[in-house]
């Protein structure tokens, strides 16, 4: 009975440390946040919330704005996503943090491999074709009209990021996460897209709250 009580106390302490760590991180106190998340991590080394906070606090000592931006995005996604998707989101954030430490990574090889694989499939469509359609049609109309298993082929890396940007602008946040999650590794050019997605989530949440209040 005492063991159960001890475990419950540790869980409560861990959550409190994480909450204080998040507050310190948002306030720019990265050293304090590091200590708090580190303490929470050693209470439960399998908890990815603590690991993410710990890594971002460490990043924040050199790149404060970026660390806060990623953590803010992480919290926004958690509040918007289903609880069952939490682990997927956490893996995505951890990979994004890793990408920050590997800034020289290029997606060109992955993009070429994706292009070759997709061209072998009968249900592939070139992004160039979508761009041509955008001259006369709305993106939502085009994207919603694509068959479910359609593979998009991107001739250039810039086209891929342009497509992700269109997903954000048109509120396809879940699709954005799917494409990011499918990447073999992440590129730092995803940061502006993530920030834009974060702003979208906040605006959509505010609109929902206004409708409820009315």
């Amino acid at each position: 009975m005492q063991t159960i009580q001890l475990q419950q106390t540790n869980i409560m302490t861990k959550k409190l440390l994480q909450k204080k760590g998040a507050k310190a991180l948002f306030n720019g106190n990265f050293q304090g946040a590091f200590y708090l998340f580190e303490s929470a991590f050693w209470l439960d080394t399998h908890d990815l919330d603590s690991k993410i906070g710990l890594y971002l606090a460490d990043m924040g000592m050199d790149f404060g704005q970026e660390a806060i931006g990623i953590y803010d995005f992480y919290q926004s996604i958690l509040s918007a996503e289903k609880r069952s998707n939490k682990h997927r989101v956490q893996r995505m954030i951890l990979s994004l943090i890793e990408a920050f430490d590997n800034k020289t990574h290029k997606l060109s090889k992955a993009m070429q491999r994706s292009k070759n694989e997709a061209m072998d499939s009968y249900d592939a469509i070139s992004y160039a074709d979508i761009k041509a359609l955008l001259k006369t049609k709305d993106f939502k109309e085009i994207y919603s009209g694509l068959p479910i298993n359609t593979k998009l082929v991107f001739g250039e890396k810039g086209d891929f990021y342009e497509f992700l940007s269109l997903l954000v602008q048109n509120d396809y946040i879940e699709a954005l996460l799917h494409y990011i999650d499918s990447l073999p590794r992440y590129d730092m050019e995803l940061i502006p897209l993530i920030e834009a997605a974060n702003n979208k989530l906040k605006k959509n949440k505010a609109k929902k709250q206004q409708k409820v209040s009315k």
Side-chain angles (χ1 to χ4, degrees):
M1 193 70 178
Q2 280 186 322
T3 303
I4 294 174
Q5 186 176 358
L6 179 61
Q7 289 175 344
Q8 290 175 339
T9 301
N10 281 344
I11 292 172
M12 290 180 64
T13 303
K14 179 186 70 175
K15 293 298 183 185
L16 182 59
L17 287 167
Q18 289 173 340
K19 186 175 181 180
K20 289 184 176 180
K23 185 177 181 180
L25 196 152
F26 279 127
N27 287 335
N29 180 10
F30 301 110
Q31 192 164 3
F34 184 91
Y35 171 77
L36 290 162
F37 280 119
E38 182 183 37
S39 299
F41 174 76
W42 288 118
L43 287 175
D44 181 2
T45 56
H46 298 291
D47 192 317
L48 296 184
D49 280 322
S50 298
K51 183 178 286 188
I52 288 171
L54 184 61
Y55 286 170
L56 287 176
D58 184 52
M59 179 198 294
M61 295 180 194
D62 295 310
F63 305 97
Q65 186 176 354
E66 290 83 355
I68 292 174
I70 294 174
Y71 194 73
D72 188 26
F73 175 70
Y74 170 55
Q75 294 298 325
S76 296
I77 289 293
L78 286 184
S79 63
E81 283 283 309
K82 295 178 180 178
R83 190 174 182 82
S84 59
N85 291 334
K86 182 177 181 179
H87 187 66
R88 179 172 68 88
V89 172
Q90 289 174 325
R91 285 191 294 104
M92 184 189 76
I93 295 298
L94 285 170
S95 296
L96 187 63
I97 295 170
E98 181 183 355
F100 197 92
D101 293 327
N102 297 281
K103 298 178 185 178
T104 58
H105 173 65
K106 301 294 183 182
L107 282 176
S108 56
K109 290 184 179 179
M111 296 296 295
Q112 186 60 43
R113 184 172 65 251
S114 175
K115 178 180 179 180
N116 293 338
E117 290 174 353
M119 290 303 284
D120 292 333
S121 173
Y122 71 92
D123 57 354
I125 181 173
S126 171
Y127 179 67
D129 294 334
I130 292 180
K131 289 179 74 172
L133 290 172
L134 284 172
K135 295 177 181 179
T136 56
K137 294 184 178 180
D138 180 76
F139 178 80
K140 282 190 175 182
E141 181 184 355
I142 299 170
Y143 188 72
S144 61
L146 294 176
I148 295 176
N149 295 321
T150 298
K151 294 179 181 179
L152 294 180
V153 182
F154 300 92
E156 298 179 5
K157 181 180 174 182
D159 286 341
F160 178 65
Y161 289 111
E162 180 180 301
F163 170 71
L164 294 185
S165 180
L166 285 170
L167 288 177
V168 175
Q169 292 172 31
N170 290 276
D171 293 323
Y172 288 110
I173 305 301
E174 180 62 32
L176 171 74
L177 295 178
H178 171 75
Y179 280 102
I180 292 177
D181 195 40
S182 67
L183 293 174
R185 291 185 66 186
Y186 295 164
D187 192 286
M188 286 313 299
E189 290 180 57
L190 291 171
I191 292 289
L193 289 167
I194 284 176
E195 291 175 346
N198 191 25
N199 291 332
K200 272 282 184 178
L201 285 171
K202 289 181 176 180
K203 288 180 181 179
N204 292 341
K205 186 176 181 179
K207 287 179 180 178
K208 288 181 180 179
Q209 290 176 341
Q210 287 178 353
K211 288 182 179 179
V212 172
S213 62
K214 289 180 180 180

